[in-house]
Amino acid sequence: MTPEEFRAHAHELVDWMADYMAGVEQYPVRPRTAPGEIAAKLPGAAPESGEPMADILADFERDILPGMTHWQHPSFFAYFPANSSPPSVLAEMLTATLAAQCMLWQTSPAATEMETRMMAWLRDMLSLPDHFLGVIQDSATSATLAALLIARERATGWRANEDGLAALGAEGTRLTVYVSEEAHSSIEKTMKVAGYGKANLRRIATDEAFAMRPEALARTIANDIADGATPACVVASIGGTGVGAMDPIAPIGEICQTHGIWLHVDAAWAGSALILPEWRHLADGVELADSFVFNPHKWLLTNFDCSAFYVADPSALERTLSLVPEYLRSRESGRVTDYQNWSVPLGRRFRALKLWFVIRSYGVEGLREILRRHIALASDLFDEVSGTPGFEIMSPLRLALFSFRCHPEGMNDEDALDALNRTLIERLNDSGSVYLTQNLVRDRFAIRFSIGQTSTQQRHVRQAWELIKETAESLSKTF
Ligand SMILES: *Cc1c(COP(=O)(O)O)cnc(C)c1O
């Protein structure tokens, strides 16, 4: 493709992108695609000779787009948002064009130095401690993996990297990790990967507000020590995925300090809300943490992937992950930050650029306004659902998330209620007008309502609620 051909196609695509953004509401939020349906439209083998771009674009619209879930649809209320924004997309166009590998300072000095500065901007926007230093990871899972690896090294006297799993099993060095019952599945996954073994994960009981009980944590740690285990890490959540559980960081941090345990804070979703002074208290005690992660790619208008990982002591991170063969040495080694030493993958995209575009384009106050709008919309809907007969709140409002179920008067068989709500959510999602996801709350089926798409306005929430009421009413009659 010549630069002139590229220019023509790019202009055409930019028009397509702007039309998509303006018209995304015309698509069903979640497609009704059957498994294998899209694969059946794709040729079984790669073409031997090149095809015209016009054909490729036409096939994209005809065959691929109908199989997409539209995460940027304003009626997307599922999971957590992965919100994006026009400035973020513009920056990604530049990142893709430069196509730089930003693993070392030398392989793109501007990318490294901008990453350092953007991590400092974000740290200050969230009022995280001044001594936290950050690095961008692809996902919170990768950041949590890095934290568990450092905790493993620290707890084994830096021997596990040398001696392998033998360092974890020998003479009472069975390493244990602590999370609440509400913690994200990524922690269990990273424990498997980091060699701890799932059996050494301790799930600490939560209180009636779904927060980890510090006294139960202290008791479990004491029992494990008495049993000859070595507690290595506690992962506390600010905003768990199921119900947005908020663990009390300060008392958990004090317990960790007493025993020399690594404290990692998972704020993947809710971390973005710490830019709001009125919510910063959710992170009280974070100065006791050894590491902290949040995802600008969830709720800070920066498209996937961009996960901000902070450590109080980068030398421990580098000691765990750094490996510098001759071909990665440079004249500046030791005098500059080579971010490949701060993450598991060697290769790194220029992800700081989209943060720079987003933060400059909206300004911190502009970002605050959008998050406040989401929280206010969720709060209004929460009040509405609470006051509507035939509905029951299943978990309290946490920022822009709560869960509920349809509970017709007089219907008290729990299994029937589960079945009713399971059918309800499928009907709602199959309608294409909204997308919601479910959760088990204290073992009962609940529907999560999570607001955070960049362009979601009051009318989208109102329409969703009207649809939920109508669908629930007609279903209740048949149950
Ligand atoms: C989304 C989420 C994760 C996982 O984030 P990825 O970036 O997809 O790895 C971890 N913890 C919590 C609380 C989350 O909400």
Side-chain angles (χ1 to χ4, degrees), residues 80 138-144 182-187 237-242 266-270 293 295 297-298 304-307 448:
F80 279 132
D138 57 359
S139 66
T141 306
S142 296
T144 298
E182 289 293 328
H184 191 266
S185 57
S186 59
I187 296 150
S237 306
I238 299 178
T241 307
D266 177 1
W269 160 65
V293 64
N295 287 345
H297 72 224
K298 271 192 171 145
F304 189 82
D305 55 352
C306 184
S307 182
R448 294 167 76 261

Side-chain angles (χ1 to χ4, degrees), residues 416-436:
L417 285 169
D418 284 358
L420 170 65
N421 282 280
R422 210 178 280 281
T423 311
L424 172 60
I425 197 170
E426 287 312 330
R427 289 252 174 113
L428 291 167
N429 290 340
D430 282 345
S431 78
S433 302
V434 289
Y435 186 17
L436 299 155

Side-chain angles (χ1 to χ4, degrees), residues 436-473:
L436 299 155
T437 41
Q438 77 277 10
N439 181 35
L440 289 182
V441 179
R442 310 255 189 249
D443 293 330
R444 290 328 332 178
F445 192 94
I447 299 175
R448 294 167 76 261
F449 207 107
S450 160
I451 300 180
Q453 207 287 324
T454 305
S455 58
T456 299
Q457 304 291 341
Q458 190 177 39
R459 69 187 164 88
H460 305 106
V461 178
R462 296 235 54 94
Q463 281 164 8
W465 175 228
E466 291 309 319
L467 181 69
I468 292 168
K469 279 192 297 186
E470 282 164 24
T471 314
E473 195 175 330

Side-chain angles (χ1 to χ4, degrees), residues 181-260:
E181 293 161 336
E182 289 293 328
H184 191 266
S185 57
S186 59
I187 296 150
E188 192 168 334
K189 189 179 199 176
T190 50
M191 273 190 82
K192 294 202 294 186
V193 175
Y196 286 84
K198 275 164 56 178
N200 294 313
L201 180 66
R202 302 281 182 267
R203 290 191 181 278
I204 306 301
T206 53
D207 62 19
E208 54 296 330
F210 304 95
M212 188 192 290
R213 290 182 187 273
E215 69 288 354
L217 173 67
R219 217 176 319 118
T220 311
I221 289 173
N223 288 342
D224 281 334
I225 293 173
D227 275 356
T230 303
C233 187
V234 174
V235 183
S237 306
I238 299 178
T241 307
V243 297
M246 304 286 178
D247 292 333
I249 307 300
I252 293 171
E254 281 161 25
I255 295 167
C256 289
Q257 296 230 310
T258 308
H259 297 283

